[in-house]
Amino acid sequence: MPASPPAPTAGPTPAPTAAPARRSGGTLITVAPTGAETAKADAPALPVTMAELVATAQACEAAGAGMVHVHIRDEQALPSLDPVRLRDTVQALREQTSLVVQLSTGGSVRDPYDARLAVLDAEPDSCSLTCGTVNFGDDVFLNPWPFMSELYALTQEREIVPEFELFDLGQVAALHRLLDEHGAPYGGQVHCDLVMGVPGGIPGTLDALAAAVRALPEGATWSATGVGRWTLPVALAALAAGGHLRVGMEDTLTFTRGVPVRDNAQLVERAAQLAALADRPALTTDDARAMLRVKDRTGARR
Ligand code: KMH
Ligand code: ZN
């Protein structure tokens, strides 16, 4: 657990500065293949072993993914933040794919803060950083200011690019506070992911997406993720607004109404098709690295 909370400050009220991103350029497709919420028994295609995760990542890279957002599981396929397993996972993904490797620091709603901070010891290219506490179905996903603040400072120290996960509009204000108090992220590019449609968070509507995008810091890049039935509406709205896409079995298990997802690559293939239709085809992994300005860890790659 990080140090006790500082005295509340008034905090800067963010002016809505970010114009919707231009429609030019390609589309970063991030795949979130596993998550922490779904049981393997309920979704047999969910990648839970290292071999399954690497095979999924390879198939998703071939289908157009540029980055992989990783949650790992233990021997019983339960969510895990085991440090050795995390490090081995990063290494395996680096050796066997070219994807930008992003580790989740959100973990599951039951993971303690110290284990979530220790995720950075595995030296990923990127990590998720959720900008506030949010109701999460019947649970609460805890991200109090001291934790966020400590995690952000650690990303700067370790030269890891954070992806700011925004589950609600108020979290955009907390993102501005992070940037105001700690400065720019490693690499200088602020990259966000709007996670829309979580029960308790921001809905996956066009109005909500537009409001969130308007409030982002100037120059920020962003992707959007629609959970469950919000997957397609959010993807289409994000492309229309110049954003990037995150898809995967972490966020949806249904391909179309009543039809279960075959596997993660199927979701990436569809995202790549939508991006191509929008005349913003999927970015290569090299382009994804350049866009996110991740550290060159070539020495640690193949
Ligand atoms: N599993 C959720 C409680 C993240 O990866 O950073 C949190 C989550 C966000 O998935
Ligand atoms: Zn996640």
Side-chain angles (χ1 to χ4, degrees), residues 32 34-37 69-71 102-107 128 141 165 167 246 250-251:
T34 309
E37 282 72 41
H69 167 85
V70 178
H71 289 252
Q102 178 184 89
L103 290 184
S104 167
T105 65
S128 57
F141 179 29
E165 308 295 330
F167 285 73
R246 181 178 113 170
E250 171 165 346
D251 304 315

Side-chain angles (χ1 to χ4, degrees), residues 15-253:
T17 48
R22 289 188 317 265
R23 229 170 268 164
S24 59
T27 302
L28 171 66
I29 300 176
T30 299
V31 62
T34 309
E37 282 72 41
T38 300
K40 176 78 168 171
D42 294 335
L46 197 75
V48 295
T49 65
M50 179 93 77
E52 287 172 347
L53 181 62
V54 169
T56 294
Q58 289 172 329
C60 290
E61 181 178 346
M67 175 153 74
V68 60
H69 167 85
V70 178
H71 289 252
I72 60 165
R73 301 291 178 101
D74 66 13
E75 301 288 347
Q76 281 74 47
L78 297 173
S80 167
L81 291 179
D82 177 77
V84 175
R85 224 176 169 87
L86 280 170
R87 196 173 269 282
D88 290 349
T89 301
V90 170
Q91 189 184 336
L93 289 168
R94 282 218 177 99
E95 283 172 2
Q96 296 177 67
T97 79
S98 300
L99 294 165
V100 177
V101 179
Q102 178 184 89
L103 290 184
S104 167
T105 65
S108 83
V109 290
R110 273 164 282 283
D111 284 318
Y113 298 124
D114 54 356
R116 292 170 59 190
L117 291 169
V119 165
L120 270 53
D121 293 346
E123 298 180 38
D125 301 311
S126 172
C127 70
S128 57
L129 192 165
T130 296
C131 291
T133 294
V134 64
N135 284 318
F136 199 83
D138 293 346
D139 295 306
V140 178
F141 179 29
L142 288 166
N143 295 281
W145 173 257
F147 171 70
M148 288 170 52
S149 188
E150 189 172 345
L151 176 57
Y152 186 47
L154 205 56
T155 65
Q156 292 171 313
E157 185 189 312
R158 304 281 179 88
E159 304 185 328
I160 293 166
V161 173
E163 176 180 272
F164 300 102
E165 308 295 330
L166 303 167
F167 285 73
D168 215 344
L169 199 50
Q171 295 188 2
V172 184
L175 165 60
H176 280 269
R177 182 180 171 194
L178 265 188
L179 299 174
D180 287 345
E181 294 194 13
H182 292 273
Y186 173 76
Q189 179 60 46
V190 174
H191 182 68
C192 308
D193 180 45
L194 304 173
V195 187
M196 311 187 76
V198 169
I202 192 169
T205 62
L206 191 56
D207 282 352
L209 183 133
V213 170
R214 265 199 306 276
L216 293 178
E218 192 159 8
T221 52
W222 57 277
S223 60
T225 310
V227 171
R229 69 191 168 90
W230 295 107
T231 299
L232 271 174
V234 166
L236 293 168
L239 283 171
H244 300 272
L245 302 178
R246 181 178 113 170
V247 295
M249 293 179 72
E250 171 165 346
D251 304 315
T252 186
L253 298 169

